[in-house]
Each structure stands twice: as C-alpha cells, then as structure tokens.
Amino acid sequence: MRIQQVRWADPNAVTLRALQRAEIAARYGTPDSEPGLAPSQADIAAFFVAHADDGTPVGCGGLRHLGGGVGEVKRMYVVPARRGSGVAVAILDALEDWARGQGWTTLRLETGTAQPDAVRFYTRSGYQRIPNFGAYAGVATSLCFERVLEAQRSA
C-alpha cells in the first residue's frame, strides 16, 4: 500500500470523497448531515489518498487547520472491501505525521452517532471524547474526539 499527498481536486480524491458522502447520506438519511462548513480546497491544509499495491485508490483523509497548533481530521474514508486491513491506520498515521511536521500539537475530529465503527476506530487509535467544538456544539448526532500528538512518533 502507498499513501500519497494529493491536491484536493485529484480525481481519485474526488471519487473517494463522493463515496464517503454517499455512505454518510445513507447512514443519516439525508445528503446534508454535516454540521458546519464542508471542507474545500480553500481550507484543507493537506489531503492524502491510499492506493493498493495495484494502484487502486482505497482510502483518503485530510486535515483542516483550526489555528493554535490544532488540526481537524476531515473526510476519512476507506472503501468497504478494504476495511479492517490497516488502510485507515496508515492514513491516520500519515495525517498525524504531516501535522507533527507542521508543528501542530493536537488533532480533533467529529464523527456521528450513526458511525459506531468510526468511534471504535478513533478510540482504538488514542482519540478521546471531548465536548463538541465549533459548529458541532449542540448537535445531538455529533461526537467529537481529540488526540494530543507526541512530539515524535515512537518506533
């Protein structure tokens, strides 16, 4: 597997984000379930796509800078056939490494009540539940998490 930083408009990134939004729409029963400002080329600091050994795009994730050394994980997605294979872990590792390289100290994220698989993944990855922040404050279907990044990844 190969993780590559790409432009927001990269065709594989666009396709994976569309698949992610379709899955979220199905889970929540609406195409507009995202509280707050949807991520865009203007506000995503970095975006990564994971490719299988044969070059097939299998997952993605991005980061939005919130200021003060804090970033937000956006549009994490792994195609269903590759879930449980380590793709999500590799993408999250790439996001965290990139954030550390920028001097960011903390990553936050929002997921939802209809995504227990995401909650389990982030909890296993060291993210802890926090009060809903920003546009997610007061949103009953939002669950927010945070992880303080170590200065250097341990081997």
Side-chain angles (χ1 to χ4, degrees):
M1 179 175 40
R2 175 176 52 92
I3 309 290
Q4 178 183 17
Q5 186 173 353
V6 299
R7 298 176 345 273
W8 178 258
D10 175 85
N12 291 326
V14 171
T15 297
L16 288 164
R17 288 194 307 270
L19 291 170
Q20 187 260 358
R21 295 314 301 157
E23 182 174 321
I24 296 301
R27 286 188 187 211
Y28 290 92
T30 176
D32 188 27
S33 64
E34 181 166 5
L37 183 65
S40 69
Q41 180 173 328
D43 73 348
I44 290 298
F47 201 82
F48 293 83
V49 170
H51 299 270
D53 291 337
D54 67 1
T56 304
V58 294
C60 66
L63 291 171
R64 174 187 278 162
H65 189 222
L66 299 179
V70 179
E72 181 181 6
V73 176
K74 297 299 293 180
R75 296 299 189 258
M76 275 284 293
Y77 177 74
V78 174
V79 297
R82 293 299 303 264
R83 292 182 185 164
S85 69
V87 174
V89 170
I91 293 168
L92 191 57
D93 283 349
L95 294 173
E96 291 176 353
D97 287 346
W98 190 91
R100 280 186 201 91
Q102 302 304 303
W104 298 2
T105 58
T106 306
L107 287 182
R108 292 182 180 163
L109 62 94
E110 182 268 349
T111 190
T113 55
Q115 296 166 263
D117 45 345
V119 170
R120 283 190 304 275
F121 169 71
Y122 290 120
T123 301
R124 279 194 316 263
S125 298
Y127 286 75
Q128 297 187 6
R129 182 84 190 274
I130 61 170
N132 289 3
F133 64 95
Y136 314 115
V139 178
T141 57
S142 286
L143 303 170
C144 292
F145 293 82
E146 176 179 277
R147 180 171 182 201
V148 175
L149 302 174
E150 310 90 34
Q152 196 173 20
R153 283 183 40 95
S154 53

